[in-house]
Amino acid sequence: GPTAFSFTNHGTVLHEIQLFQLRPEIPRDSAVHYLSTLAATDSLAPDAAGSVLWAPAGVTAHERILVEATSGRTYAVFCQFQDADSLPFHTKLGMIALIHVD
């Protein structure tokens, strides 16, 4: 049913959360791999729907994401920011989570 996501950035740099539903046939390991390498991420979702929240360090985003969480579906949550051109994207640092709704 309806589920609200909020975002508080407890880190020391700007972060975001991107949230979208995964296509049901995508294995979890494959989804994490694609997200961590930023390869073919558009092909992971059943459509172009998704949401993004971002917040500077120490700030809670004023908005929330409202999702109609569907039983049996998996949702991806990740941060794709990069602190500098010479540093890795946050997904490569492990800022990826998959949430499965029972």
Side-chain angles (χ1 to χ4, degrees), residues 6-67:
S6 60
F7 175 49
T8 300
N9 181 352
H10 294 288
T12 58
V13 297
L14 182 67
H15 287 288
E16 69 174 350
I17 59 168
Q18 292 188 38
L19 185 137
F20 66 89
Q21 188 179 85
L22 290 175
R23 289 192 354 240
E25 69 272 14
I26 302 290
R28 292 175 63 88
D29 292 347
S30 295
V32 170
H33 170 74
Y34 290 138
L35 291 168
S36 67
T37 61
L38 299 177
T41 55
D42 291 343
S43 66
L44 297 176
D47 52 41
S51 298
V52 178
L53 294 175
W54 65 272
V59 173
T60 297
H62 300 286
E63 299 80 11
R64 289 194 163 94
I65 297 172
L66 182 62
V67 174

Side-chain angles (χ1 to χ4, degrees), residues 31-33 35-37 76-79 90-92 94-98:
V32 170
H33 170 74
L35 291 168
S36 67
T37 61
V77 180
F78 62 102
C79 179
H90 290 179
T91 51
K92 287 196 175 268
M95 295 182 194
I96 300 168
L98 299 182

